[in-house]
Amino acid sequence: QVQVVESGGGLVQTGGSLRLSCAASGNIFIINNMAWYRQAPGKQRELVAIITRSGTTNYLDSVKGRFTISRDNAKNTGNLQMNSLKPEDTAVYYCHADGRGLFSRDFDSWGQGTQVTVSS
């Protein structure tokens, strides 16, 4: 199995910064994509940012220029640097990783989520 764990959430003021971390572990051969999703109360889960193994990134329009996704292929870890935070960024943030495990077994794993709260 491949496990994904997020950390780094917390309470910050509007305009502040927070750095979320994601660590994948288990029978990983290679991670193809690492992504961050978020879900606010009463809203659908949305893709915030995604990064491929080669480093190609895509962002939700509302976070472009404020958030930066990164990854360390050797360590099977990723980060989401969040700057200029707004109250509307308040949500539970989830890390997602997909790729290939041992014996060519594909995986598609979610973290448990970490709460980000931005006060107005």
Side-chain angles (χ1 to χ4, degrees), residues 18-59:
L18 211 56
R19 187 175 182 87
L20 305 183
S21 297
C22 176
S25 61
N27 56 344
I28 299 168
F29 178 69
I30 194 168
I31 297 174
N32 291 330
N33 305 292
M34 298 191 75
W36 290 92
Y37 290 76
R38 68 185 182 188
Q39 187 165 26
K43 299 185 68 177
Q44 299 203 120
R45 187 171 297 187
E46 61 185 353
L47 177 65
V48 177
I50 187 167
I51 183 168
T52 69
R53 183 170 180 83
S54 64
T56 301
T57 59
N58 288 102
Y59 296 91

Side-chain angles (χ1 to χ4, degrees), residues 3 5 9 15 19 26 34 37 39 41 44 47-48 50 64-66 71-73 80 86 92 98:
Q3 294 79 44
V5 178
R19 187 175 182 87
M34 298 191 75
Y37 290 76
Q39 187 165 26
Q44 299 203 120
L47 177 65
V48 177
I50 187 167
K64 288 180 179 177
R66 301 189 297 120
R71 63 186 290 175
D72 186 329
N73 292 339
L80 183 68
K86 305 174 181 179
V92 177
D98 66 79

